[in-house]
Amino acid sequence: MTSDIPSKYHRLYVGSRRLREMRGTFKNPRDAQERLLRDIIEQNKDTDYGRRFKLGEIATLDDFRNKHPLCDYDQYENFVKRVSKGEKNVMTTEKVTRLVTTSGTTGKSKLIPQDEYFVDKMFSTIEALQQELFPNFNPLQSMLKVHANGAIRRGEGGVAICPATALEPFMVKNFDMYTPPGAGQLIGSLQEAFYIDLLFALRDKDLGSALILFTPTIVALTQFLEENWRDLVKDIAEGSINADLKLNPEIRDSLQKSLGSGDPQRAKEVEYECEKGSDGIMKRLWPHMEFISTIDIAGLRTSLANSVAKGITIHCSMYPSSEGCPLGINFWPFEEGPAEYVLNPPLLIYEFIKEDDMDKPNPSTYFIDEVEAGQRYELVLSQRYGIYRFRFGDVIEVSGFYQNCPKVRVLYRKASLLNLVGEKVDQIVVKEAVMSALTKWQGLVSLLNYCVAESIMIPGSTSLYYNFFLELKSATGDKALPEDLTDEVLSQEIERGICERHSFYLNFRATSQITPAKANITLPGAFDELREYILSQSDASRAQFKMPLKLRNKEHAKVMMQHSINKID
């Protein structure tokens, strides 16, 4: 099955042009940043925001650093409210057609001005790069796009308020290279979306790639397949759509027309592969699949490459953010280890605050040509739609340079630091401690999800400690976990891992200011319950949702405690 040829090639042409523009800035990224700033200032100096903050007096990056303050979202909130009411010329002269909701992983969702072409620009650039990186990939092959559509509401002035990936009906014509077809991209329920995504994808043995936004979604999708493949096989054979799916009637009718007649032969092939189990299932179902384009905030890339996605390159393609995307692009999909992203000088203005200076009231910042390899920085962003010197919370490491442009590794969110008494344990240490602890049961269990809460979030706690929640699955085919894998033993192993990796934590443990870490093994589906609770309190969509690594809300911690094997109310 192939996608529409003119639209697909036009998309690749536009993406290639953006990619060339980006590459053309790598030798002198500072010059590109100066040009971008001049364009932004010229465009926005006469807006209400521009006049209030005297943008017209700014001519260079040094002026910008000296004359405009570092900001958090509070500075923009009232301006954004005016934009949502339909006021013009508030933050930018650009036409703002949507306010993108951030994922809210580390707090309340924020609204970032953008336009409806934000996602199309982002993915077309990535797809053009992948056409270069994977020469065996035929651009006319369809791509599996796993997507649950985010809810779209309207501000008083008609501006869409929604996640960055949310699609409106008029937009799906631009996604004709994906399977399922357009109507399938408008399904909001994750379970129904999974079913339709798989139904259309399984019919097409020649799929060449997949776009699955986050690696935990790959895990969830393959688990869904494991539980529902018999129903899917029946629908493939009969050319039908499961009557139990709660689908909008218009969407169901459109999908039924696209589905066509049944394919008993393909149904038998799918049945045969699913009966063999999940190991390497994606390559067996889609033997021509070259890569999966995804984002690996959960550190699952290696385990997926050794299990359900065996034989397929997992390309952690971009450094995403609602504030501006892509912040960076990964040109090295075949490299092992954490992904490295080259920054995007023609799209965003970057500033960097040294990690040691993050808590200072007015820290110094460094521009793109002033950073050093091996150093850690908090990233600060400015963009065309009226967001300037915004501290959005990401901490990165400059891992080197591509020509003269920084390559970065994403380390953690500033708000995800564990910090009970000043120890500041970051999520790199947390992840390493968890993975090290599980080596005691290597080959026997696999990690599906984890998060951690400081004890001040745990009901009834009277001491200071870290409380871990882990959802584990037997890797041997047994339903039960190993008998010696208990909360107590796992707690000891995680505690040892943190002490080995963080001297400040060890010092505070020695003085008993912090007590030993605790671990709770959760019931199956605990993190699904957490996701549902968070989404019920947030504007974020299911597709946009990122599981928090640190629980910063007592209600979130309560959900996890209630869904632990050793339940604590």
Side-chain angles (χ1 to χ4, degrees):
M1 186 180 297
T2 58
S3 56
D4 181 74
I5 295 174
S7 178
K8 177 71 172 180
Y9 273 110
H10 175 73
R11 185 180 176 87
L12 285 172
Y13 168 76
V14 172
S16 296
R17 189 175 60 190
R18 294 192 182 107
L19 195 58
R20 284 196 303 272
E21 180 187 10
M22 180 181 177
R23 282 175 164 146
T25 66
F26 290 162
K27 288 185 178 180
N28 192 346
R30 173 65 179 255
D31 184 60
Q33 297 273 271
E34 294 279 7
R35 290 197 305 271
L36 177 58
L37 176 66
R38 288 195 295 270
D39 289 347
I40 292 173
I41 296 299
E42 182 62 30
Q43 174 182 296
N44 294 337
K45 65 183 180 182
D46 292 323
T47 62
D48 286 356
Y49 185 96
R51 287 190 292 269
R52 180 175 300 185
F53 287 90
K54 300 179 180 179
L55 295 185
E57 298 179 6
I58 295 171
T60 67
L61 286 172
D62 287 327
D63 286 346
F64 191 41
R65 179 163 53 188
N66 293 330
K67 294 181 179 181
H68 192 289
L70 289 167
C71 303
D72 57 23
Y73 186 68
D74 291 344
Q75 174 155 317
Y76 298 106
E77 191 163 17
N78 288 332
F79 290 97
V80 171
K81 286 179 181 178
R82 291 173 57 193
V83 173
S84 73
K85 293 177 180 178
E87 288 190 47
K88 309 295 184 186
N89 212 41
V90 177
M91 302 172 72
T92 178
T93 57
E94 291 271 5
K95 184 179 180 182
V96 176
T97 56
R98 55 174 47 189
L99 294 171
V100 171
T101 55
T102 63
S103 63
T105 303
T106 55
K108 182 181 177 182
S109 289
K110 304 170 182 65
L111 302 179
I112 306 297
Q114 291 287 356
D115 66 33
E116 69 262 32
Y117 302 108
F118 172 75
V119 172
D120 198 47
K121 294 173 186 175
M122 172 174 67
F123 287 133
S124 66
T125 305
I126 297 301
E127 288 160 10
L129 174 64
Q130 289 167 335
Q131 182 61 38
E132 296 178 10
L133 296 174
F134 300 94
N136 293 328
F137 173 63
N138 183 341
L140 298 184
Q141 289 175 286
S142 290
M143 170 185 278
L144 165 60
K145 182 174 186 286
V146 176
H147 176 73
N149 204 32
I152 299 174
R153 59 187 175 91
R154 302 283 173 183
E156 292 178 31
V159 177
I161 300 174
C162 57
T165 54
L167 300 173
E168 300 190 58
F170 75 89
M171 297 168 67
V172 298
K173 69 181 187 300
N174 295 322
F175 287 78
D176 53 358
M177 71 293 300
Y178 296 127
T179 188
Q185 302 292 329
L186 300 175
I187 298 170
S189 162
L190 187 63
Q191 297 302 300
E192 271 73 16
F194 274 178
Y195 194 96
I196 294 299
D197 292 343
L198 285 168
L199 176 60
F200 279 84
L202 290 169
R203 282 173 56 93
D204 188 355
K205 186 176 182 178
D206 295 325
L207 283 181
S209 60
L211 171 58
I212 305 176
L213 201 54
F214 298 111
T215 49
T217 308
I218 302 174
V219 175
L221 182 75
T222 52
Q223 287 179 336
F224 184 90
L225 174 62
E226 189 175 341
E227 295 166 3
N228 294 276
W229 65 263
R230 291 174 179 82
D231 289 338
L232 287 160
V233 164
K234 179 176 181 294
D235 279 346
I236 292 169
E238 298 175 357
S240 57
I241 297 176
N242 193 315
D244 292 335
L245 295 182
K246 297 179 176 62
L247 295 175
N248 175 291
E250 291 184 7
I251 290 177
R252 180 182 283 274
D253 289 345
S254 177
L255 291 172
Q256 186 63 66
K257 290 176 183 177
S258 298
L259 192 63
S261 59
D263 189 343
Q265 179 58 40
R266 179 58 180 160
K268 289 180 181 178
E269 293 173 359
V270 172
E271 180 179 33
Y272 175 73
E273 296 300 345
C274 289
E275 284 179 337
K276 289 159 62 176
S278 62
D279 189 53
I281 184 68
M282 298 186 77
K283 191 68 171 178
R284 288 189 282 109
L285 289 169
W286 301 292
H288 305 293
M289 185 171 285
E290 290 285 315
F291 62 88
I292 301 170
S293 184
T294 189
I295 299 160
D296 188 24
I297 59 171
L300 298 175
R301 178 188 176 202
T302 300
S303 63
L304 287 168
N306 292 326
S307 56
V308 295
K310 190 179 294 181
I312 301 172
T313 299
I314 298 176
H315 184 201
C316 302
S317 52
M318 62 181 169
Y319 178 7
S321 172
S322 300
E323 289 78 10
C325 195
L327 272 68
I329 291 180
N330 177 10
F331 288 84
W332 305 277
F334 309 110
E335 297 290 329
E336 296 184 0
E340 294 181 310
Y341 304 96
V342 183
L343 297 181
N344 195 351
L347 181 69
L348 298 156
I349 296 172
Y350 303 90
E351 292 178 73
F352 305 80
I353 299 170
K354 288 184 177 180
E355 186 181 37
D356 291 342
D357 296 341
M358 291 191 307
D359 294 330
K360 291 181 178 179
N362 188 28
S364 298
T365 67
Y366 302 84
F367 289 122
I368 200 165
D369 61 328
E370 298 171 340
V371 295
E372 299 176 19
Q375 294 296 312
R376 292 180 170 192
Y377 301 91
E378 178 192 343
L379 202 53
V380 179
L381 297 178
S382 303
Q383 44 99 304
R384 291 183 179 276
Y385 288 86
I387 300 294
Y388 307 96
R389 307 197 75 206
F390 180 49
R391 301 181 69 173
F392 70 110
D394 276 13
V395 178
I396 55 91
E397 179 184 20
V398 175
S399 56
F401 295 88
Y402 184 62
Q403 297 181 17
N404 294 315
C405 193
K407 296 186 299 182
V408 304
R409 294 191 183 104
V410 184
L411 299 180
Y412 60 89
R413 297 282 285 178
K414 185 179 175 185
S416 69
L417 277 174
L418 300 177
N419 191 24
L420 290 167
V421 290
E423 72 281 11
K424 296 182 181 178
V425 174
D426 64 46
Q427 288 295 328
I428 303 225
V429 170
V430 169
K431 178 182 174 182
E432 289 178 354
V434 169
M435 301 310 292
S436 174
L438 291 175
T439 59
K440 184 177 177 68
W441 300 276
Q442 190 166 6
L444 300 176
V445 297
S446 57
L447 175 66
L448 299 182
N449 260 309
Y450 75 90
C451 63
V452 60
E454 294 166 340
S455 59
I456 54 177
M457 296 295 161
I458 305 298
S461 174
T462 58
S463 55
L464 298 177
Y465 59 90
Y466 302 157
N467 205 116
F468 289 79
F469 300 96
L470 301 95
E471 184 172 355
L472 304 172
K473 180 181 179 181
S474 172
T476 62
D478 298 329
K479 290 187 176 180
L481 297 174
E483 289 186 5
D484 64 335
L485 178 48
T486 64
D487 286 356
E488 182 180 3
V489 175
L490 187 55
S491 299
Q492 293 169 357
E493 294 297 325
I494 292 176
E495 168 71 12
R496 180 181 298 111
I498 302 174
C499 288
E500 289 174 350
R501 290 167 173 80
H502 202 282
S503 59
F504 279 16
Y505 178 84
L506 183 60
N507 290 339
F508 285 119
R509 281 285 296 110
T511 60
S512 298
Q513 293 180 69
I514 299 177
T515 57
K518 296 182 180 180
N520 293 84
I521 301 171
T522 68
L523 295 165
F527 283 82
D528 293 337
E529 295 292 334
L530 178 60
R531 180 191 65 228
E532 294 305 310
Y533 181 82
I534 294 174
L535 287 172
S536 72
Q537 308 294 312
S538 167
D539 289 325
S541 73
R542 296 179 187 279
Q544 183 188 28
F545 178 77
K546 298 191 286 284
M547 189 65 69
L549 296 175
K550 176 185 176 183
L551 303 182
R552 302 173 63 241
N553 182 301
K554 289 184 178 180
E555 291 302 316
H556 298 174
K558 185 177 179 181
V559 169
M560 297 309 292
M561 297 300 288
Q562 291 177 338
H563 291 85
S564 296
I565 289 177
N566 295 316
K567 179 179 175 182
I568 300 177
D569 293 314

